[in-house]
Amino acid sequence: MSSIPPQPPVKRGRRKQARPGELLEAALDLFVEKGYAATRVEEVAARAGVSKGTLFLYFPSKEELFKAVVRENISGRFGEWEQTLASFTGTCSEMIEYAFSAWWERIGSTKANGLGKLMVSEANNFPEIAQFYRTEVVLPGQELIRRIFRRGIESGEFRDIDLEYAIYLVQAPLMQLDLMNSSRVICVVNPDNFDPHKYLKMHADNLLAGLRPRAA
């Protein structure tokens, strides 16, 4: 009978390269579960299977760890989203519909969805991370929305609107969906049958109806 050859050991370098990703995943879980204030770096390290000292080799503080989590899951994707907008060949109405669905698929339906709720609840207690989130997530997101609206206005597809307030027509329903997902029993009439896709489709349809040029 032939013996099974021994498996080669996992290279130490490969394990070391995996550690930052494992720490960020553990940190995302705990930040979303417990909030920023209640999460301790010792817990993050334990969940990732490393020592606290190892965590500090990659992230020198809890604040830097949180920033890295936000960049990994949200703000680091803005380059990709800007390229998508620049290369999009459909109408601006189609772009808005795509933006709603893409947000749900990539953020809203993932664990990263909890970061927005965390910031709403803890921003006043941690102004430094609130300013970071505003700079890295909120403002770039608003600028992407402005660019879509501006393109539609310039092409005549949308009527002329105040862009500084129009951005909230997209942002507000997404924030509301964050809240509804985490508090369905309170916010949703029939929580067992709530369909986020139908919710977003209805908002997109109503938004586009209001954006189209009005008859004289």
Side-chain angles (χ1 to χ4, degrees):
M1 180 182 295
S2 61
S3 60
I4 299 175
Q7 296 297 316
V10 177
K11 292 184 178 180
R12 188 172 182 180
R14 186 181 305 166
R15 166 67 180 154
K16 187 175 181 181
Q17 290 173 357
R19 280 177 185 158
E22 292 168 354
L23 285 164
L24 291 176
E25 184 176 355
L28 173 62
D29 287 341
L30 285 165
F31 282 135
V32 170
E33 290 170 16
K34 304 183 67 172
Y36 181 81
T39 297
R40 297 183 297 117
V41 291
E42 293 89 340
E43 295 175 290
V44 176
R47 183 168 294 196
V50 301
S51 68
K52 183 172 72 171
T54 298
L55 183 150
F56 284 133
L57 289 175
Y58 299 99
F59 309 104
S61 66
K62 184 168 80 168
E63 182 176 329
E64 291 303 314
L65 176 62
F66 178 79
K67 290 178 179 179
V69 168
V70 172
R71 289 179 176 132
E72 175 72 15
N73 291 278
I74 304 178
S75 62
R77 301 182 178 183
F78 275 110
E80 170 196 343
W81 295 336
E82 288 178 1
Q83 289 179 358
T84 300
L85 174 58
S87 62
F88 195 82
T89 57
T91 65
C92 292
S93 296
E94 290 169 340
M95 170 55 83
I96 286 179
E97 292 173 338
Y98 171 78
F100 273 113
S101 62
W103 175 88
W104 173 251
E105 291 170 4
R106 301 175 190 181
I107 303 296
S109 62
T110 72
K111 288 183 288 187
N113 173 57
L115 293 173
K117 182 189 173 190
L118 180 155
M119 291 309 309
V120 169
S121 63
E122 303 204 43
N124 288 337
N125 296 325
F126 299 96
E128 296 83 4
I129 64 169
Q131 183 58 44
F132 162 81
Y133 195 84
R134 172 181 168 80
T135 301
E136 296 245 346
V137 176
V138 177
L139 296 181
Q142 290 177 341
E143 182 54 28
L144 277 179
I145 298 168
R146 281 193 199 92
R147 287 173 59 189
I148 298 172
F149 285 152
R150 194 177 293 120
R151 180 190 291 185
I153 293 170
E154 291 172 354
S155 69
E157 186 180 347
F158 299 157
R159 62 187 178 86
D160 193 12
I161 52 176
D162 186 337
L163 295 180
E164 295 311 303
Y165 287 89
I167 56 176
Y168 302 116
L169 296 173
V170 173
Q171 205 169 38
L174 301 183
M175 294 178 66
Q176 177 67 19
L177 186 54
D178 278 349
L179 178 62
M180 293 165 75
N181 267 334
S182 59
S183 308
R184 287 196 179 193
V185 175
I186 299 173
C187 301
V188 181
V189 175
N190 192 346
D192 293 332
N193 294 323
F194 180 72
D195 185 345
H197 296 283
K198 289 184 178 180
Y199 167 90
L200 292 172
K201 180 69 166 58
M202 177 168 287
H203 273 288
D205 288 346
N206 281 292
L207 171 59
L208 293 172
L211 288 172
R212 295 187 183 103
R214 297 172 178 172

